[in-house]
Amino acid sequence: GIQVEQSPPDLILQEGANSTLRCNFSDSVNNLQWFHQNPWGQLINLFYIPSGTKQNGRLSATTVATERYSLLYISSSQTTDSGVYFCAVGASGAGSYQLTFGKGTKLSVIP
Amino acid sequence: DAGITQSPRHKVTETGTPVTLRCHQTENHRYMYWYRQDPGHGLRLIHYSYGVKDTDKGEVSDGYSVSRSKTEDFLLTLESATSSQTSVYFCAISGSGASGSVVSYNEQFFGPGTRLTVL
């Protein structure tokens, strides 16, 4: 099956700093989502981005499908950004609605 | 939140007992999924449904069964719980609902999770 690798696994930031999280995947996809899991365990949808670039406030994401990677940018980080960020992909073809998750990037934003 | 609820939210049970977790959605989404989350593994797909009475296995289906007799409910059953099934279980949905609340047909939205402990 498709493989998903996220980097870095852990990240500590000072409040106000910027960061880039990376997601590499091993095959063609027709679904790519970024999630934030907050400290209470809730999974929050950030972006649905199988290709292209999107922005939502301080967050933006870019997926280069031909090169099999996606980037999540967090600018002017806040303590509320802390948590685990997951990339999940759906492989092209039959069963493409199934998501395969990376192991996540744990972000800690300190005041 | 795409109208997804899970019950119970927390459960402690003993090895060998049957357990059923319920996922309920209110917006008529076609697809429903069960995932489990364990430390160091992200989320892994257990089973999914693509319509009433239409289900299929995911990556980690051994020891689990599912049923979907109504569009709004997707049940996950552990026939005889084992300690290795201690986990947090998430339900998800996709596919445009009756209200058109999902922007993309593929995009999945998750419920709040159920924490299951098997002693």
Side-chain angles (χ1 to χ4, degrees), chain A residues 7-68:
Chain A
S7 60
D10 295 279
L11 186 59
I12 300 174
L13 295 177
Q14 200 78 37
E15 196 170 23
N18 303 329
S19 62
T20 301
L21 282 58
R22 187 176 179 100
C23 172
N24 293 332
F25 44 94
S26 61
D27 208 342
S28 301
V29 300
N30 65 3
N31 184 354
L32 190 145
Q33 293 183 239
W34 283 98
F35 297 91
H36 175 215
Q37 188 167 40
N38 64 23
W40 296 270
Q42 184 182 7
L43 281 163
I44 300 165
N45 287 45
L46 297 178
F47 294 102
Y48 171 78
I49 187 166
S51 64
T53 298
K54 291 185 178 181
Q55 182 159 5
N56 185 3
R58 295 181 297 104
L59 273 60
S60 63
T62 295
T63 297
V64 184
T66 53
E67 297 186 22
R68 300 182 182 170

Side-chain angles (χ1 to χ4, degrees), chain B residues 20-34:
Chain B
T20 295
L21 308 182
R22 180 185 184 228
C23 178
H24 179 76
Q25 53 126 338
T26 59
E27 298 183 1
N28 204 35
H29 297 286
R30 178 181 177 185
Y31 297 96
M32 299 185 75
Y33 312 82
W34 278 107

Side-chain angles (χ1 to χ4, degrees), chain B:
Chain B
D1 64 1
I4 309 167
T5 57
Q6 294 185 229
S7 59
R9 294 292 314 281
H10 302 272
K11 186 171 182 66
V12 180
T13 191
E14 293 187 350
T15 297
T17 61
V19 176
T20 295
L21 308 182
R22 180 185 184 228
C23 178
H24 179 76
Q25 53 126 338
T26 59
E27 298 183 1
N28 204 35
H29 297 286
R30 178 181 177 185
Y31 297 96
M32 299 185 75
Y33 312 82
W34 278 107
Y35 292 84
R36 61 178 286 173
Q37 183 177 26
D38 305 292
H41 283 280
L43 278 76
R44 294 178 291 174
L45 182 67
I46 305 171
H47 281 279
Y48 62 96
S49 169
Y50 46 95
V52 173
K53 297 186 180 179
D54 292 324
T55 65
D56 206 346
K57 296 179 179 180
E59 178 187 356
V60 290
S61 60
D62 286 349
Y64 302 95
S65 62
V66 290
S67 65
R68 192 172 179 196
S69 59
K70 300 184 291 184
T71 298
E72 59 265 35
D73 288 325
F74 192 33
L75 305 181
L76 177 70
T77 298
L78 291 65
E79 301 288 350
S80 178
T82 67
S83 58
S84 65
Q85 293 175 312
T86 292
S87 188
V88 180
Y89 291 86
F90 286 95
C91 173
I93 59 90
S94 67
S96 298
S99 64
S101 61
V102 177
V103 174
S104 165
Y105 202 77
N106 272 348
E107 187 174 5
Q108 292 190 24
F109 290 82
F110 284 76
T114 293
R115 183 174 295 276
L116 176 67
T117 302
V118 183
L119 302 176

Side-chain angles (χ1 to χ4, degrees), chain A residues 44-102:
Chain A
I44 300 165
N45 287 45
L46 297 178
F47 294 102
Y48 171 78
I49 187 166
S51 64
T53 298
K54 291 185 178 181
Q55 182 159 5
N56 185 3
R58 295 181 297 104
L59 273 60
S60 63
T62 295
T63 297
V64 184
T66 53
E67 297 186 22
R68 300 182 182 170
Y69 72 90
S70 183
L71 302 174
L72 177 69
Y73 304 96
I74 304 174
S75 65
S76 304
S77 59
Q78 302 176 357
T79 56
T80 52
D81 295 331
S82 296
V84 182
Y85 289 79
F86 289 105
C87 169
V89 303
S92 298
S96 60
Y97 36 81
Q98 302 175 58
L99 286 180
T100 299
F101 280 73

